Amino acid sequence: MQSQQAVNPQNIAMAEQELEMVTDLFNRIVDSCYTKCISKEYQQNDLTQGESVCIDRCVSKFFDVNTKVGEKMQQMGQQNMPK
């Protein structure tokens, strides 16, 4: 017999919101890096070495910037909190 745990609607809502945020981040990375790195005229089935390097750098920079912006926003939020 398995014990049934009550499903917390708040946890489900938080998980759905987190999934939405991750999906949005992924889509923004794909859109940005695809536009920046992939030629509109496909000549090969696979990515070229230049395209692969460009995508690696683009994704890395995207995450770096996203992290720095998040940290800055967190600092600003802490500064605005009443003491």
Side-chain angles (χ1 to χ4, degrees), residues 6-68:
V7 177
N8 185 340
Q10 186 177 7
N11 288 346
I12 291 174
M14 287 173 45
E16 287 173 344
Q17 184 178 17
E18 187 172 346
L19 179 60
E20 241 177 71
M21 290 170 49
V22 169
T23 302
D24 178 59
L25 177 63
F26 176 79
N27 287 332
R28 287 187 290 131
I29 290 171
V30 169
D31 289 343
S32 177
C33 295
Y34 179 84
T35 300
K36 203 175 288 182
C37 298
I38 306 299
S39 172
K40 303 293 182 244
E41 299 172 12
Y42 295 113
Q43 297 176 1
Q44 302 176 22
N45 292 338
D46 297 328
L47 294 174
T48 66
Q49 183 177 0
E51 290 169 336
S52 292
V53 169
C54 181
I55 289 172
D56 286 344
R57 288 181 179 161
C58 181
V59 171
S60 177
K61 286 180 182 180
F62 202 99
F63 276 114
D64 287 346
V65 168
N66 195 44
T67 300
K68 288 178 183 177

